Amino acid sequence: MKKDNTEEMFPLVDEYGNITGAASRGDCHNGSMLLHPVVHLHVFNENGDIYLQKRPVWKDIQPDKWDTAVGGHVDLGESAEQALQREVHEELGITDYTPEFITSYVFESKVERELVFVYKTTYAGEISPNQEELDGGRFWSIEEIRQNLGKEVFTPNFEGEIKRVNLIPELI
């Protein structure tokens, strides 16, 4: 079964995004709480529906749950904007979009601590989820999301983020 590369190197950062060191994925995801940067892109269509990706069962964090359209780690030596471009292309095959920066915040779970850079976009083109990285994806209506909140369908990060950044005001 495929699995994440635990030796992949991530930058370590402070709460402002200043690089303070480096550590492996394995070290960042083992409960050490080493703060490392990630990017999220929320993709809306013209109807206001939001695209979510299905995380594969082999992922080391939150397998088999629905999550933000694009989510990925910033690689060592890469800016958040560069990571966003790379991840959007890798995960959804999208190259022509206009991201809008929303905010950044620190997310903490039992096994990791991330500095999350949050972006959104409205996109009307074709989306081609990478079958090597995702178990697919689709647009969800606001009502579908409302009906599934708190039922362990979505990642805790997604549920928390849509509330934290008031991404979908109808859900607040």
Side-chain angles (χ1 to χ4, degrees):
M1 175 185 281
K2 185 174 178 173
K3 64 180 189 171
D4 285 317
N5 176 3
T6 59
E7 300 305 312
E8 181 180 7
M9 295 299 290
F10 298 152
L12 299 178
V13 295
D14 63 19
E15 287 81 3
Y16 303 102
N18 300 309
I19 296 174
T20 61
S24 70
R25 174 190 289 268
D27 288 338
C28 289
H29 291 176
N30 69 2
S32 67
M33 307 315 268
L34 295 170
L35 186 61
H36 56 288
V38 300
V39 292
H40 287 175
L41 178 68
H42 296 277
V43 177
F44 291 87
N45 65 18
E46 294 167 347
N47 297 325
D49 300 329
I50 187 168
Y51 190 90
L52 299 180
Q53 64 161 270
K54 181 74 180 274
R55 294 179 63 79
V57 296
W58 54 262
K59 294 299 283 181
D60 61 349
I61 303 290
Q62 296 297 324
D64 205 32
K65 300 236 175 141
W66 289 92
D67 199 7
T68 308
V70 174
H73 291 89
V74 176
D75 287 341
L76 202 54
E78 186 176 52
S79 70
E81 292 79 13
Q82 290 168 325
L84 183 68
Q85 280 189 324
R86 176 181 50 76
E87 289 287 346
V88 171
H89 183 258
E90 282 177 9
E91 293 186 358
L92 301 182
I94 296 173
T95 56
D96 183 25
Y97 69 103
T98 305
E100 176 187 337
F101 177 73
I102 300 174
T103 192
S104 63
Y105 68 94
V106 174
F107 172 78
E108 198 169 301
S109 72
K110 293 178 182 178
V111 297
E112 68 175 334
R113 194 164 168 248
E114 299 175 327
L115 178 60
V116 184
F117 292 92
V118 184
Y119 298 82
K120 71 176 182 176
T121 193
T122 300
Y123 185 74
E126 185 176 329
I127 298 177
S128 302
N130 181 336
Q131 298 303 310
E132 293 287 315
E133 290 202 27
L134 310 176
D135 273 351
R138 69 175 180 92
F139 280 99
W140 291 63
S141 72
I142 303 309
E143 186 54 34
E144 284 179 296
I145 291 173
R146 178 182 287 113
Q147 291 172 0
N148 286 284
L149 286 173
K151 296 182 179 176
E152 298 189 21
V153 171
F154 308 118
T155 64
N157 197 343
F158 171 74
E159 286 197 14
E161 187 166 287
I162 61 174
K163 294 172 186 170
R164 174 188 292 262
V165 302
N166 198 22
L167 189 65
I168 306 172
E170 300 92 323
L171 294 177
I172 305 300

